[in-house]
Amino acid sequence: MQPHDHSPLNDFIEYPEEQMLSRSEDFLKTMQRRHSIRHFSDRPVHKAVIENCILTAGTAPSGANHQPWHFAAIHSPEVKQQIREQAEAHERGFYNGRAGQQWLDDLKPLGTDASKPYLETAPWLIAVFSQKFGETETGEKSQNYYVHESVGIAVGMLITSLHNAGLATLTHTPKPMNFLTEVCQRPDNERAYMLIIAGYPADNATIPAHALQKKSLSEIVSFL
């Protein structure tokens, strides 16, 4: 490697092989209990929990370590209402034909439609934004690299962290999503990437049978 400022790796923990296997099995079981739901309780969730989960997402690797993301954590009822109104307006167009029949047919087993009451019910919405470029301390543009990949990794870590904390989640990607930039008052260099709903499941929460059908190991991996 080229010369660079560095620190020793002194916080890595190596586990015995048997413990590695048990930890991987336990974590698999933990993540198999993660489900996307669409019925949320309005029970409050402490802000510190959301902060820790976002900080966890912020540890994700990124191109040149530029960390090209911003998370707008939304708790305000007024802002959540604005998001619901605009999201449902876009979704009505989507379900009324803009998506195309094949896409709509593929969604039928999940039972989704244009109604998104959870956008107001859930205690937290987290709007994730990708940053096309950053800014230096002098206000000049700073190029970001592998933005889509970097933000995707951070989102995966955020969802995992929220689940690990004991919260249910739903990923929502209304088409188009540019209204989130205006509602969340984000700058022009940012693009709405995803909306994550987070909170406790409602008593009547269900999981679509179709969503429980996951591909087997042989279908998703090849060992070379």
Side-chain angles (χ1 to χ4, degrees):
M1 295 182 67
Q2 299 182 44
H4 62 287
D5 187 20
H6 61 274
S7 300
L9 176 63
N10 54 20
D11 56 358
F12 176 80
I13 300 175
E14 181 175 331
Y15 300 99
E17 187 169 306
E18 183 177 337
Q19 191 175 354
M20 289 175 62
L21 180 58
S22 65
R23 285 174 62 87
S24 66
E25 290 173 342
D26 289 344
F27 192 69
L28 171 60
K29 292 175 182 177
T30 295
M31 294 310 298
Q32 285 174 330
R33 293 188 293 101
R34 189 219 62 79
H35 306 289
S36 296
I37 65 165
R38 291 172 176 80
H39 294 88
F40 284 83
S41 166
D42 61 359
R43 288 173 57 194
V45 173
H46 200 288
K47 181 182 177 184
V49 175
I50 302 301
E51 290 175 340
N52 286 335
C53 293
I54 291 175
L55 283 171
T56 300
T59 68
S62 61
N65 195 36
H66 280 200
Q67 303 161 57
W69 46 63
H70 181 86
F71 303 90
I74 302 155
H75 184 61
S76 163
E78 292 77 20
V79 178
K80 288 194 291 184
Q81 181 184 26
Q82 291 181 53
I83 290 175
R84 179 184 178 182
E85 290 174 352
Q86 296 208 42
E88 287 186 338
H90 288 300
E91 292 288 279
R92 283 192 290 271
F94 177 89
Y95 282 95
N96 285 337
R98 192 175 71 245
Q101 193 57 49
Q102 181 63 57
W103 196 345
L104 295 177
D105 288 343
D106 288 341
L107 286 173
K108 283 182 179 179
L110 297 174
T112 59
D113 58 26
S115 179
K116 313 293 179 185
Y118 47 77
L119 293 175
E120 286 190 89
T121 306
W124 290 96
L125 307 180
I126 304 174
V128 184
F129 294 88
S130 62
Q131 297 174 334
K132 294 179 288 185
F133 59 86
E135 288 188 358
T136 64
E137 294 181 357
T138 59
E140 298 178 353
K141 288 185 178 180
S142 173
Q143 178 68 44
N144 286 333
Y145 310 97
Y146 298 105
V147 174
H148 187 80
E149 295 86 347
S150 300
V151 179
I153 296 170
V155 165
M157 292 178 64
L158 176 58
I159 294 169
T160 302
S161 181
L162 290 164
H163 174 67
N164 181 66
L167 298 175
T169 57
L170 175 67
T171 55
H172 182 45
T173 51
K175 300 291 184 182
M177 288 195 291
N178 54 0
F179 71 89
L180 287 171
T181 304
E182 180 179 350
V183 172
C184 297
Q185 301 178 16
R186 301 308 305 158
D188 291 340
N189 69 312
E190 294 185 0
R191 181 178 181 180
Y193 186 90
M194 186 175 294
L195 186 64
I196 298 174
I197 298 87
Y200 294 103
D203 291 339
N204 64 337
T206 60
I207 309 164
H210 179 67
L212 295 174
Q213 300 173 17
K214 304 300 182 183
K215 292 182 178 180
S216 66
L217 182 65
S218 63
E219 293 176 292
I220 65 173
V221 67
S222 56
F223 293 98
L224 307 178

